[in-house]
């Protein structure tokens, strides 16, 4: 099946200017808009899901159209490779029909999909279907065993990663099963444009299409230097902090653990790579 994903495989690379990319990253962080930083931190946290023993989860950004949700998803992609559809940004039509094969191919890399509403109908096979089964499948780590025409068992596909999605509306409002609710962290966009102040929407998109792939490699190098024991200790510290906050009264462990993992990824980014405090 690797040939089916040749484009995404070749999208995971460095391109453009590393120094310009990190200048752009610092400029986005200075804006103090949480949306792109949450998307980026979740994207980086994906490679920590398995070593930290966290279940796969979804970070979903929702809000008014045309304010920068797609750019935030591109920003999350740019850590690893080409942030365009047809590159590392998932094509909704493709993932609707071959999602488990797609996730198995990604393995520990993040699944980043723009405008989840495009595949809502295809997910359920009927108009008006909800996201419940999609959330359950994406966060299940493994596909169902299925027999083939030769009465054998098809290859079991598996993935341990994070997902970054967006749409104009929440995806949990349609979900009745509490188990799925606990696997999703949602954030509503704040008023105004997410990308601005020198890097407006078009300029940001044009820049990211030409400069990408540097951050993920640096992040992996830092993880290798720190070691998983140190990363696990960071994660546990954030989980303990969240557990004693008021938010713990509203969130169960299944949400505290991924929230702590996002904070862990952002701390590593802040302290060891960007170093901007």
């Amino acid at each position: 099946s690797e040939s089916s994903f040749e484009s995404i495989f070749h999208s995971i690379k460095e391109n453009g200017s590393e120094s310009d990319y990190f200048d752009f990253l610092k400029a986005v962080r200075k804006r103090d808009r949480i949306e792109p930083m949450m998307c980026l931190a979740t994207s980086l946290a994906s490679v920590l899901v398995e070593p930290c023993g966290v279940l796969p989860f979804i970070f979903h950004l929702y809000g008014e159209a045309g304010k920068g949700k797609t750019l935030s998803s591109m920003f999350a992609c740019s850590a690893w490779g080409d942030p365009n559809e047809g590159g590392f940004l998932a094509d909704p039509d493709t993932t609707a029909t071959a999602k488990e094969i797609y996730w198995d191919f990604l393995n520990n890399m993040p699944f980043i999909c723009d405008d989840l509403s495009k595949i809502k109908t295809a997910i359920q096979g009927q108009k008006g279907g909800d996201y419940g089964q999609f959330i359950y499948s994406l966060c299940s780590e493994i596909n169902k065993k299925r027999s083939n025409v030769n009465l054998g068992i098809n290859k079991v596909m598996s993935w341990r990663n994070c997902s970054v999605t967006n749409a104009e509306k929440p995806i949990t409002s349609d979900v009745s099963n509490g188990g799925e609710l606990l696997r999703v962290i949602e954030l509503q966009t704040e008023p105004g444009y997410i990308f601005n102040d020198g890097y407006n929407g078009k300029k940001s998109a044009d820049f990211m299409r030409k400069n990408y792939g540097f951050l993920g490699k640096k992040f992996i190098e830092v993880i290798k230097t720190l070691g998983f024991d140190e990363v696990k200790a960071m994660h546990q510290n954030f989980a303990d902090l969240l557990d004693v906050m008021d938010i713990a009264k509203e969130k169960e462990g299944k949400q505290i653990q991924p929230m702590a993992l996002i904070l862990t990824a952002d701390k590593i980014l802040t302290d060891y790579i960007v170093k901007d405090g």
Side-chain angles (χ1 to χ4, degrees):
S1 66
E2 283 80 358
S3 61
S4 302
F5 302 103
E6 186 175 1
S7 61
I8 187 173
F9 178 82
H10 289 293
S11 77
I12 303 170
K13 61 182 180 181
E14 297 173 337
N15 191 75
S17 167
E18 181 174 355
S19 60
D20 287 351
Y21 179 83
F22 281 100
D23 286 343
F24 174 73
L25 171 59
K26 291 174 183 177
V28 174
R29 287 170 65 88
K30 283 180 180 178
R31 282 217 70 220
D32 200 28
R33 289 294 298 243
I34 193 173
E35 300 95 336
M37 297 317 303
M38 283 288 287
C39 290
L40 181 65
T42 304
S43 176
L44 295 173
S46 186
V47 296
L48 303 179
V49 167
E50 187 164 356
C52 288
V54 179
L55 293 170
F57 65 91
I58 300 169
F59 172 72
H60 181 70
L61 183 66
Y62 70 95
E64 187 180 352
K67 299 300 184 182
K69 297 190 303 297
T70 295
L71 288 174
S72 296
S73 293
M74 289 178 66
F75 190 50
C77 289
S78 71
W80 304 105
D82 185 353
N84 290 292
E85 279 193 15
F88 198 75
L89 187 63
D91 181 345
D93 293 331
T94 300
T95 55
T97 55
K99 56 185 185 301
E100 290 175 344
I101 302 172
Y102 193 96
W103 300 334
D104 178 67
F105 179 81
L106 288 172
N107 193 21
N108 297 125
M109 298 286 277
F111 169 66
I112 305 173
C113 185
D114 182 41
D115 195 357
L116 206 58
S117 62
K118 292 180 182 178
I119 58 173
K120 182 175 180 179
T121 300
I123 289 168
Q124 292 298 93
Q126 59 182 7
K127 190 172 182 179
D130 62 42
Y131 294 107
Q133 185 57 46
F134 176 73
I135 294 171
Y136 179 79
S137 297
L138 186 52
C139 299
S140 66
E141 309 175 52
I142 192 170
N143 70 318
K144 293 180 180 178
K145 291 183 179 180
R146 297 184 178 93
S147 61
N148 55 38
V149 292
N150 298 317
L151 300 183
I153 299 296
N154 289 333
K155 173 183 178 291
V156 175
M157 292 172 281
S158 62
W159 52 91
R160 291 289 296 276
N161 62 352
C162 301
S163 300
V164 178
T165 64
N166 70 67
E168 290 185 31
K169 297 180 180 180
I171 56 173
T172 55
S173 59
D174 293 324
V175 180
S176 58
N177 188 325
E180 279 111 35
L181 286 168
L182 295 174
R183 297 170 182 267
V184 180
I185 296 172
E186 292 188 302
L187 177 69
Q188 185 174 14
T189 57
E190 297 175 4
Y193 292 98
I194 296 172
F195 286 80
N196 211 334
D197 296 349
Y199 284 103
N200 60 31
K202 185 180 185 307
K203 187 175 180 181
S204 296
D206 290 343
F207 178 85
M208 287 187 284
R209 289 187 178 108
K210 297 176 181 176
N211 302 274
Y212 54 79
F214 302 103
L215 178 56
K217 187 173 182 180
K218 278 193 175 295
F219 189 78
I220 294 296
E221 289 171 354
V222 171
I223 297 302
K224 289 169 70 176
T225 301
L226 289 174
F228 285 140
D229 288 343
E230 179 65 23
V231 174
K232 288 178 184 177
M234 281 187 204
H235 176 246
Q236 187 58 52
N237 183 55
F238 278 120
D240 292 342
L241 288 171
L242 288 168
D243 197 42
V244 298
M245 294 173 66
D246 289 339
I247 195 171
K249 298 175 183 177
E250 304 171 14
K251 310 292 182 184
E252 294 190 27
K254 283 184 179 178
Q255 283 184 312
I256 288 176
Q257 293 297 320
M259 289 166 70
L261 200 69
I262 293 172
L263 290 168
T264 300
D266 190 66
K267 179 176 175 59
I268 293 169
L269 172 62
T270 301
D271 292 354
Y272 295 95
I273 300 176
V274 185
K275 300 178 182 178
D276 60 359

